[in-house]
């Protein structure tokens, strides 16, 4: 983990190193399909032939909205973006979206995985994955 | 399979906010009314199922205990918004299989206002802002709008339709009409969903007495189907709310799966329906349900809204009760509340909201899990 990055909000879902944040998924050798988070068997086919993989760090925005009110258990700032990004391997992943006006972001916008800091239930800073526009 | 099961009695505690009244007390009220309606008492039934998501340990025991009815098997059933449909399905299956001849089914809930807090989401997901239910509804609404050619104005028209029906339902939480302009200027919650486009989690109870048809009165509605299905894997915007998925067009949604099972069990199809009560958690949800249940083709929703086909007085009134947008949604009670509405309509007791000549009705819920239920009721004549 690079210095200055708060600890992950939950273990096993992503890694943070000098390259930034990488989501940890799985790929079934028989179905060829990827999934997230890593599961013991392929969640689509049940095949028992999953290998851990690093998921692509880039993709395109599919759907996005802006959350205007804090959901229960969330103490971070509002509004914030929440959306689905289709990664380069076709896997669609849910995550926070860092943008000034997330609801205005067009589908197909090139996105990349980034680290974002949120506060956990104990008031400690933690790292979670998010998506941001690829710098033009 | 269930053609020989009758809805022998119905009871409802109004949906709304009732400070000082427990969910279990509301359930006892609804169940007492349903048993009186069916003319049954202690000793006349062999089991009870209680639908609830938030009622807590032994909810069914607390409801039946309040009425001095314990001693029989009592089982709580949780399947998110489909809890009531799931409990009904279990009760109907037990009667059809010959295990019991009379079963009580009661649904209860007491929820606060605002976004629902659900143990479905782990604490870290809440802290990360990933537990905002309306945000997932909004993402699905955007997909629907993209794929079915709909705009925010259509979402508002759907709300206007259901709220105008709810005016005639004294058991609903909201009994006033709204205009499209009021909907479109209400507070934005998660773009494109505004406050008036979302149903209110609230409080209430509903109960149904199921009996073998030969033990029920001659005019009692028949339960033609009570189906429950869960989601197939792979869809990212399903109510299973996964963190990732691979496809949102090629995977049959649970509502469609349950409907297909129901058509087969009941021996009827969409063209045979006289009314529908369906899940309108948010305005877009109902518009998507029309397609998922096979009530319309992709992209037909705008025309149906414009022509009033599924509105009060239309060819197929959908959510004649006002829907969840008028009634609010007490999770465990909502599905059975729909069944109570269908039974009232089929008995010709719908009052100012009676659908003329109603013979076959369908109730549908879809919720967390994801679970979908589809229930079909028919008059004894329609059941043949």
């Amino acid at each position: 983990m690079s210095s200055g990055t708060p600890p992950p909000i939950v273990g096993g879902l992503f890694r943070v190193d000098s390259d930034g944040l990488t989501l940890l998924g799985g790929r079934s050798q028989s179905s060829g399909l990827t999934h997230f988070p890593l599961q013991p068997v392929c969640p689509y086919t049940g095949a028992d032939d999953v290998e851990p993989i690093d998921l692509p760090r880039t993709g395109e925005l599919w759907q996005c909205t802006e959350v205007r009110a804090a959901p229960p258990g969330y103490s971070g700032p509002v509004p914030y973006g929440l959306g689905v990004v289709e990664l380069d391997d076709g896997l669609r992943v849910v995550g926070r979206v860092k943008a000034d006006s997330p609801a205005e972001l067009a589908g197909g916008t090139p996105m990349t995985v980034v680290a974002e800091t949120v506060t956990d239930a104990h008031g400690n800073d933690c790292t979670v994955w998010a998506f941001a526009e690829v710098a033009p | 399979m269930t053609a020989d099961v009758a809805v022998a009695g119905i009871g409802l505690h109004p949906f709304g906010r009732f400070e000082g009244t427990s969910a279990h007390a509301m359930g006892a009220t609804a169940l007492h009314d349903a048993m009186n309606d069916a003319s049954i008492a202690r000793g006349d039934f062999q089991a009870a199922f209680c639908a609830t998501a938030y009622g807590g340990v032994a909810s069914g025991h607390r409801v039946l205990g309040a009425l001095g009815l314990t001693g029989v098997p009592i089982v709580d059933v949780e399947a998110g918004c489909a809890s009531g449909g799931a409990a009904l399905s279990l009760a109907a299956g037990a009667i059809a299989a010959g295990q019991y001849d009379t079963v009580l089914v009661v649904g209860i809930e007491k929820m606060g206002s605002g976004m629902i807090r659900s143990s479905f989401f782990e604490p870290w997901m809440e802290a990360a802002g990933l537990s905002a239910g309306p945000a997932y509804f909004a993402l699905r609404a955007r997909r629907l709008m993209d794929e079915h050619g709909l705009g925010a104005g259509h979402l508002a028209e759907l709300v206007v339709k259901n709220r105008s029906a709810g005016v005639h339902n004294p058991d609903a939480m909201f009994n006033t009409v709204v205009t499209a302009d009021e909907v479109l200027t209400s507070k934005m919650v998660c773009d494109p969903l505004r406050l008036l486009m979302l149903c209110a989690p609230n409080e209430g109870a509903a109960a149904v007495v199921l009996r073998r048809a030969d033990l029920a009165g001659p005019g009692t509605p028949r339960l033609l189907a009570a189906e429950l299905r869960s989601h197939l894997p792979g869809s990212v915007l399903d109510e299973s709310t996964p963190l990732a998925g691979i496809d949102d067009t090629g995977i049959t949604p649970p509502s469609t799966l349950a409907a297909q099972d129901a058509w087969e069990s009941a021996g009827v199809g969409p063209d045979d329906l006289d009314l529908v009560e369906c899940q309108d958690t948010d305005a877009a949800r109902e518009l998507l349900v029309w397609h998922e249940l096979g009530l319309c083709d992709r992209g037909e929703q705008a025309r149906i809204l414009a022509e009033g086909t599924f509105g009060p007085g239309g060819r197929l009134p959908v959510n004649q009760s006002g829907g969840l947008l008028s009634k609010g949604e007490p999770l465990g009670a909502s599905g059975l509340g729909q069944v109570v509405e269908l039974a009232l309509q089929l008995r010709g007791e719908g009052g100012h909201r009676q659908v003329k000549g109603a013979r076959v009705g369908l109730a549908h819920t879809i919720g967390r899990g994801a679970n979908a239920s589809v229930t079909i009721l028919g008059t004894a004549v329609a059941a043949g």
Side-chain angles (χ1 to χ4, degrees), chain B residues 260-329:
Chain B
Q260 288 168 347
D261 287 352
W263 306 137
E264 188 174 331
S265 293
V268 303
D271 292 342
D272 299 308
L273 301 175
D274 298 309
L275 76 157
V276 169
E277 291 285 309
C278 76
Q279 185 88 25
D280 55 339
T281 322
D282 66 84
R285 221 319 154 204
E286 177 172 329
L287 295 171
L288 181 58
V289 165
W290 295 357
H291 181 247
E292 290 181 342
L293 293 181
L295 306 181
C296 75
D297 289 331
R298 179 177 295 263
E300 269 195 312
Q301 292 95 333
R303 183 178 57 77
I304 288 169
L305 283 169
E307 296 176 357
T309 315
F310 291 172
R315 178 178 62 77
L316 178 63
V318 177
N319 284 326
Q320 183 81 352
S321 68
L324 306 180
L325 287 167
S326 300
K327 294 189 288 189
E329 187 187 20

Side-chain angles (χ1 to χ4, degrees), chain B:
Chain B
M1 180 193 83
T2 56
D4 58 348
V5 176
V7 178
I10 52 176
L12 189 84
H13 182 288
F15 292 3
R17 304 220 181 277
F18 307 96
E19 196 178 338
T21 305
S22 72
H24 310 94
M26 289 186 265
T29 299
L31 184 57
H32 190 256
D33 287 353
M35 291 177 70
N36 283 344
D37 187 41
S39 300
I40 65 163
R42 183 160 56 172
D44 293 333
F45 62 94
Q46 299 86 42
F49 292 94
C50 178
T52 182
Y54 294 87
V57 172
S59 281
H61 299 74
R62 296 172 72 181
V63 174
L64 270 75
L67 299 170
L69 297 173
T70 51
V72 299
I74 304 169
V75 179
D76 289 350
V77 179
E78 189 279 314
C81 303
S83 296
L88 197 77
S89 181
L90 291 170
I95 293 174
Q99 185 180 10
Y100 308 126
D101 62 48
T102 304
V103 180
L104 311 181
V105 189
V106 59
I108 64 168
E109 217 68 84
K110 189 175 184 76
M111 307 169 73
S113 58
M115 282 190 215
I116 295 174
R117 187 165 205 171
S118 173
S119 59
F120 183 85
F121 295 109
E122 295 177 46
W124 74 264
M125 294 186 72
E126 293 187 336
L130 297 176
S131 67
Y136 294 97
F137 302 163
L139 295 172
R140 193 171 53 234
R142 288 188 150 221
R143 174 198 154 211
L144 173 86
M145 292 160 76
D146 285 352
E147 296 179 357
H148 292 248
L150 297 166
H154 297 112
L155 303 185
E157 285 177 45
L158 189 285
V159 178
V160 170
K161 171 183 84 73
N162 289 4
R163 289 290 295 269
S164 67
V167 168
H168 301 294
N169 185 352
D171 295 319
M173 185 172 175
F174 301 113
N175 300 111
T176 53
V177 295
V178 293
T179 65
D181 195 49
E182 286 171 321
V183 176
L184 290 170
T185 54
S186 64
K187 185 182 158 200
M188 183 68 84
V189 177
C190 292
D191 196 312
L193 297 179
R194 294 175 180 273
L195 190 60
L196 290 178
M197 296 175 182
L198 291 153
C199 81
N202 63 351
E203 311 172 19
V208 168
V209 176
L210 292 187
R211 300 202 89 175
R212 223 172 62 206
D214 60 298
L215 299 175
T220 50
R222 299 294 191 260
L223 188 64
L224 305 184
E227 309 298 334
L228 182 76
R229 289 295 290 267
S230 61
H231 71 291
L232 296 170
S235 168
V236 71
L237 291 185
D238 196 273
E239 271 86 350
S240 55
T241 321
L243 284 174
I246 48 172
D247 183 9
D248 279 85
T249 51
I251 297 165
T252 307
S255 296
T256 303
L257 297 173
Q260 288 168 347
D261 287 352
W263 306 137
E264 188 174 331
S265 293
V268 303
D271 292 342
D272 299 308
L273 301 175
D274 298 309
L275 76 157
V276 169
E277 291 285 309
C278 76
Q279 185 88 25
D280 55 339
T281 322
D282 66 84
R285 221 319 154 204
E286 177 172 329
L287 295 171
L288 181 58
V289 165
W290 295 357
H291 181 247
E292 290 181 342
L293 293 181
L295 306 181
C296 75
D297 289 331
R298 179 177 295 263
E300 269 195 312
Q301 292 95 333
R303 183 178 57 77
I304 288 169
L305 283 169
E307 296 176 357
T309 315
F310 291 172
R315 178 178 62 77
L316 178 63
V318 177
N319 284 326
Q320 183 81 352
S321 68
L324 306 180
L325 287 167
S326 300
K327 294 189 288 189
E329 187 187 20
L331 288 192
S334 68
L336 293 170
Q338 294 176 332
V339 174
V340 167
E341 176 71 17
L342 294 186
L344 273 179
Q345 294 281 353
L346 266 49
R347 283 158 41 160
E349 298 169 7
H352 290 302
R353 63 179 190 279
Q354 178 65 43
V355 175
K356 200 176 171 189
R359 297 171 74 241
V360 180
L362 179 149
H364 158 268
T365 59
I366 169 77
R368 189 67 65 211
N371 294 296
S373 71
V374 171
T375 303
I376 298 178
L377 266 61
T379 59
V381 175

